[in-house]
Amino acid sequence: MTIRVLSIASEAVPLIKTGGLADVVGALPGAVAQHDVAMTTMLPGYPAVMAALGKAKPIHAWPSLLGEAARLLAGSIGGRPLLVLDAPTLFRRDGGPYGDANGRDWADNGLRFAAFSRAAADIAGGAVPGATFDIAHAHDWQAALTCAYLRFAPVGTAPPTVVTIHNMAFQGHYPRALFDRLGLPAQAWSINGVEYHGGVGFLKAGLESAWAITTVSPTYAREIRTPEFGMGLDGLIRARAGHVHGIVNGIDTGEWNAATDPQLASPFTARTLGRRAANRAAVESEFGLDRSDGPLFVVISRLTWQKGMDVLLHVIDHLVASGARLALLGSGDKALEAGFAAAAVRHPGRVGVRIGYDEGCSHRLQGGGDAILVPSRFEPCGLTQLYGLAYGCVPVVARTGGLVDTVVDANLAAIAAGAATGVQFNAVTTEALTDAIDRTVALYRQPAIWQAIQRAGMKSDFSWGRSGKAYADLYETLVAASF
Ligand code: ADP
């Protein structure tokens, strides 16, 4: 029996992306399709999504969705079904999905994503004729309230629900006053419902209400049980531990394939690694770097505390002194942006910095860099290290979350066994990162070992195969339990 899943999220490639969430939501329908799961993605009708949809026929209308007029449009994304909530007063605005062009969050984000979740719950409950779903799968806080609506105020028959935590740091907290606009019954205002420290907690409500909770790696699933990583919700995760599953993300190997990537000057495979040199030369030109016999480190990241970018900033002088170079692509905290720009000025030809978001450039860096630095303080799964593995750009990663589950440290035993795929370091401190850079430079200077690490990475399993099956198995278990 085919299981029909409504996958509800605030972003999905190729239509709208601010981070890894979009990659995962975009890839998931294809990943589960081989396992008899028919997934429909649901997105808010931001301008970019509406433009891609073209002239679509409305299949449902809400005269008042939490007070706003809204319609449901049907289209497709990546050749698979897409539902778009067109609520012009909530979603048709310039700027990003969550804030204006200056990065300030929209003041009504609570209402925006509550309405989105209410609509998703209506659809999953059967409000739209012809659209029937066996599972509602909500991603992150923006969609998490779907699970609470289906639990406390379902329309029709509520199907089983799954909520996925892509990052526990973003939880969606709003003042008590918002509760009165949500259309939830009074009993939902409880410690086992949407109430969180006297306000409304979107992710918290989802974690309380969902039949199953998943997060994007087994290590992160364990970490969020602790106060250090649980961000205040560790007690709830511990209480629901039997319902929490860690399923590591894969990558879209159609989008990320070094042998066919149109962004690369010189596509290559594990067997033709020598061809990478031309890609490195292209990155050197693009970032104004000198030629050198030391490794070229790259970074593709949000510039934030989570990503350990402040620590990286402190070790740049050491990185350069060790004979390495750095090409960095990222945007985020203004102070960090300024810090990296200043480092580029301080080290001309050695440090190249591009502040901004550029998908094509991210492919070129992976295809030409020697090693990608991921010094995250916490990392639910992380995708850039997976792209690095696939592109022979050796990941140098902090030992946390999904980075633990996807990179094999090049210790002596792993090197001898041919299993090493990268470098791991423990705490995100200047000392540990300095040490990891030194280890990486030393490995790079032993070409036979370095190439073995690159090849092992390219051959490692970063595909969606196993994880697509894990999601499908979970859906099947939940459907069976619902009878
Ligand atoms: P997170 O979602 O926490 O930002 P992930 O590693 O899971 O981190 O995913 C980040 C995604 O965003 C990757 O696809 C990465 O290539 C991409 N990315 C991050 N910063 C940039 C940038 N400045 N330009 C292009 N792509 C970027």
Side-chain angles (χ1 to χ4, degrees), residues 251 253 258 268-270 273 385-395 406-408 414 418-423 449-463:
I251 69 173
T253 47
F268 62 95
T269 65
L273 266 184
Q385 86 281 8
L386 297 179
Y387 300 141
L389 290 171
Y391 277 53
C393 187
V394 174
T406 55
V407 176
V408 180
T421 61
V423 171
I449 291 179
W450 186 259
Q451 284 160 25
I453 294 172
Q454 286 180 298
R455 289 207 172 90
M458 291 185 80
K459 288 183 191 145
S460 64
D461 183 11
F462 40 70
S463 75

Side-chain angles (χ1 to χ4, degrees), residues 5-337:
V5 178
L6 181 63
S7 171
I8 309 134
S10 57
E11 43 185 285
V13 293
L15 299 183
I16 178 93
K17 169 170 169 176
T18 69
L21 169 67
D23 293 287
V24 176
V25 174
L28 205 49
V32 295
Q34 303 144 34
H35 305 288
D36 222 6
V37 173
M39 183 172 275
T40 296
T41 305
M42 179 175 169
L43 289 174
Y46 313 117
V49 174
M50 297 303 293
L53 205 57
K55 274 208 184 75
K57 239 181 46 197
I59 58 169
H60 190 68
W62 290 263
S64 173
L65 180 66
L66 306 192
E68 312 294 319
R71 312 179 298 165
L72 189 68
L73 306 173
S76 71
I77 180 167
R80 300 186 193 277
L82 172 72
L83 294 175
V84 172
L85 182 69
D86 179 27
T89 52
L90 299 176
F91 298 117
R92 286 217 216 157
R93 359 179 134 160
D94 295 335
Y98 317 120
D100 63 21
N102 297 320
R104 269 188 304 262
D105 280 357
W106 303 115
D108 60 350
N109 272 346
L111 184 68
R112 294 170 81 224
F113 292 105
F116 179 58
S117 300
R118 175 70 264 182
D122 287 2
I123 297 162
V128 180
T132 312
F133 294 98
D134 305 304
I135 300 271
H137 184 166
H139 299 271
D140 272 352
W141 75 264
Q142 294 91 343
L145 220 50
T146 306
C147 307
Y149 279 120
L150 285 168
R151 173 177 164 208
F152 291 108
V155 169
T157 315
T161 51
V162 179
V163 68
T164 295
I165 306 163
H166 294 264
N167 192 338
M168 195 66 132
F170 305 110
Q171 300 184 354
H173 290 166
Y174 293 95
R176 164 74 176 79
L178 181 65
F179 183 73
D180 300 331
R181 299 197 59 183
L182 296 182
L184 281 165
Q187 91 251 28
W189 183 259
S190 85
I191 188 146
N192 300 317
V194 306
E195 192 268 334
Y196 188 55
H197 293 307
V200 179
F202 279 48
L203 182 62
K204 186 263 181 184
L207 298 176
E208 286 283 2
S209 304
W211 290 39
I213 297 167
T214 74
T215 189
V216 288
S217 69
T219 296
Y220 195 60
R222 279 192 299 277
E223 287 173 341
I224 57 176
R225 294 182 201 166
T226 66
E228 189 186 353
F229 295 94
M231 310 262 170
L233 293 173
D234 44 293
L236 168 46
I237 295 293
R238 284 195 300 278
R240 298 213 62 202
H243 301 276
V244 179
H245 309 262
I247 304 175
V248 75
N249 290 331
I251 69 173
D252 184 334
T253 47
E255 279 293 309
W256 289 92
N257 185 338
T260 58
D261 193 326
Q263 288 293 336
L264 301 187
S266 174
F268 62 95
T269 65
R271 244 179 274 138
T272 58
L273 266 184
R275 296 191 187 153
R276 283 188 99 254
N279 298 324
R280 180 165 57 171
V283 171
E284 286 163 349
S285 303
E286 187 172 350
F287 279 77
L289 297 173
D290 300 337
R291 305 282 185 266
S292 141
D293 62 356
L296 171 60
F297 285 96
V298 300
V299 169
I300 304 155
S301 184
R302 290 187 286 118
L303 301 181
T304 63
W305 183 87
Q306 177 198 335
K307 301 292 182 179
M309 289 293 125
D310 50 321
V311 179
L312 175 61
L313 203 47
H314 279 113
V315 305
I316 283 192
D317 293 354
H318 177 82
L319 184 149
V320 170
S322 72
R325 291 154 302 147
L326 175 70
L328 176 142
L329 167 67
S331 62
D333 294 352
K334 297 299 165 209
L336 289 170
E337 290 183 355

